[in-house]
Amino acid sequence: MKMFKWYWDFLKKYKFKMALGLMLTLLVSLMQLINPYIEGTIIDRVLIKGEVGVLIPLLSIIIGVTVFRCIVKFGYQMMYEHISQDLIFKMREEIYCHLQNQDFNFFDTTRTGDIMARLTGDIDAVRHFTAWVIYNVFDNFLTFTFAVVMIFFVNAKMARILLAITPIIAVVAYKMTNTVRPSFFAIREQFSKLNSVVQENISGNRVVKAFAKEEYEIEKFSRQNELFKEKNLDSSRIWEKYLPVLEFFASMLSIVLIIVGGIMVIRKNLTLGELVIINGYIWALNNPLRMAGWLINDIQRFFASIDRLINLVNEEPKIKNPKHPIQKEKVRGFVEFENVSFCYRDIPVLKNISFEVHPGQTVAIVGPTGSGKSTLINLICRFYDCNSGKIRIDNVDIKDMDKKELRDNIAASMQDIFLFSDTIEGNISYGNPNASMKQVQWAAQVADAHEFIESFPEGYDTIIGERGVGLSGGQKQRIALARALLKNPSILILDDTTSSVDIETEYKIHKTLKPFCENKTTFIIAHRISSVKNADLILVLNHGKIVERGTHGELLQKRGYYYDVFKNQMGDFDVSAVGEVC
Ligand SMILES: Nc1ncnc2c1ncn2[C@@H]1O[C@H](COP(=O)(O)OP(=O)(O)OP(=O)(O)O)[C@@H](O)[C@H]1O
Ligand SMILES: [Mg+2]
């Protein structure tokens, strides 16, 4: 019922149009009854009684009714098509907006292929239901009912005999409905898995080729493809088991009519014309019963799809916006961590992290891979919420700030760079679409990207491929850095941003970045000492804990993890003279 309510919320906007459509369906169903009746009348009056004069008017009525019926049917079919397209347009938009509100946790645990399957296959099942199934259920129900009434009107005895067979057909149809339903859910689930395999294969095609794993990938796809085929066959098996039974009882109607009706004509209890009329209506009894199978099939598909869509829509983001957020349009950038701990699904990643950064200061975070550096900055952006402790910006708990306002104040150049398949200019101005070309060029210059961008024949208008295909690792990093800079935030986060550029370029970037960062709070995550040595505060993370903190000089004096990294990176440099170095 809940499923239907969600669907009805979309459909109710078109209720008057739907009602008009159903009325036209009713008109067409009624008109369908006219022709068999006239055909029977032609037999009785023209062929048997010889009233040739009525032939032309009766034939004209048949042609007129047929033409009119076709026109009306075309009209309401088009109307249903429009309603269904409008409806799924809005449904897609709602689901898409809902997806935008989902947090990292949702995308960590949901396969892209699954989401794509819902937005395509499942939405299409809803379209088909709205455009075709609703009016067909109504049409078939009416056609059947009117045919029964008409047969009663022509010959009540014959009607009772034919009707005795129909409950058997209804029972078979009902049993089929219950048996086939789970198989449709299974098909839709498997379709999602198949989609995920394809999607991952396409996104990861470079890795596949680099490892020459094409055959393995084909096998992986074949397994899912095979399962998809099996699920469809399972459903067809149930279908094929019941369909002949349905067909058998449906054709029984014609057989009974010919035998019983024939005997009644011979005994003069029924005229030949009446037999022809009833025979004409047998189609109107038969067809809805046969169609019932298909319609049940489509209704099951619809319910399976709507169930999956509603599950997606009911998925509540874990990162919630506060009911009454504290307004902070522009923050100064005073960031404070107080005893912050965080787990990824019960696995502790950050433990009791405490530190403070003042506006204009630069904090560097270093530490072995997997020590929790990126996680720490993810918490500042509220991509995840910490399990205990507090993170404050300008003395306000970030959980009390509006999520959008918080993120508007932060610009991050993430470790896992994502560039859109757009122009270079479009990518750089992503966070500040109103920026002028001059500002875009300025950001590119600070990120030391201007020169290589200008070297492309189409400069800033160069379209880059999906995820930045066509650019080197270092070029991608510099475009991502320019994108973050152009946002001109109060808090700038650079997660491994210069790891792929050479030392000289890195030096140039840090030099040009310095004046830009003067009034900002900057977080730099890096493995190279050269990237972090000028920071006001360096935090050394290990196993989710801050194990060392201080400036470059102070940390070298401590001769701990930082000192070891420095020593390794400096090679033959005389590290005994560290006092002089700093
Ligand atoms: N989305 C996630 N779900 C579950 N665990 C995660 C997730 N992201 C990271 N982790 C785990 O959290 C720990 C810290 O990861 P994080 O990315 O913060 O490390 P890092 O210090 O940034 O490492 P690197 O220097 O390699 O970038 C790792 O053990 C990692 O496996
Ligand atoms: Mg990281």
Side-chain angles (χ1 to χ4, degrees), residues 385-401:
D385 269 342
C386 54
N387 299 92
S388 64
K390 291 235 176 310
I391 302 172
R392 294 190 198 90
I393 293 181
D394 290 1
N395 297 316
V396 177
D397 188 334
I398 56 170
K399 288 184 187 166
D400 295 329
M401 290 173 72

Side-chain angles (χ1 to χ4, degrees), residues 501-518:
V501 299
D502 58 274
I503 305 263
E504 200 184 321
T505 309
E506 183 188 36
Y507 173 75
K508 254 166 72 187
I509 292 175
H510 281 289
K511 207 167 133 204
T512 42
L513 260 181
K514 207 167 185 311
F516 174 78
C517 293
E518 248 155 30

Side-chain angles (χ1 to χ4, degrees), residues 111 117 184-197 221 223-232 308:
R111 290 172 309 216
F184 283 119
F185 280 88
I187 290 174
R188 297 240 69 93
E189 282 303 317
Q190 189 53 38
F191 179 62
S192 287
K193 287 186 188 154
L194 189 67
N195 244 344
S196 296
V197 171
F221 176 79
R223 267 199 306 279
Q224 297 299 334
N225 201 13
E226 181 73 33
L227 280 172
F228 185 55
K229 185 180 92 183
E230 279 306 315
K231 303 273 175 211
N232 274 293
R308 284 161 43 79

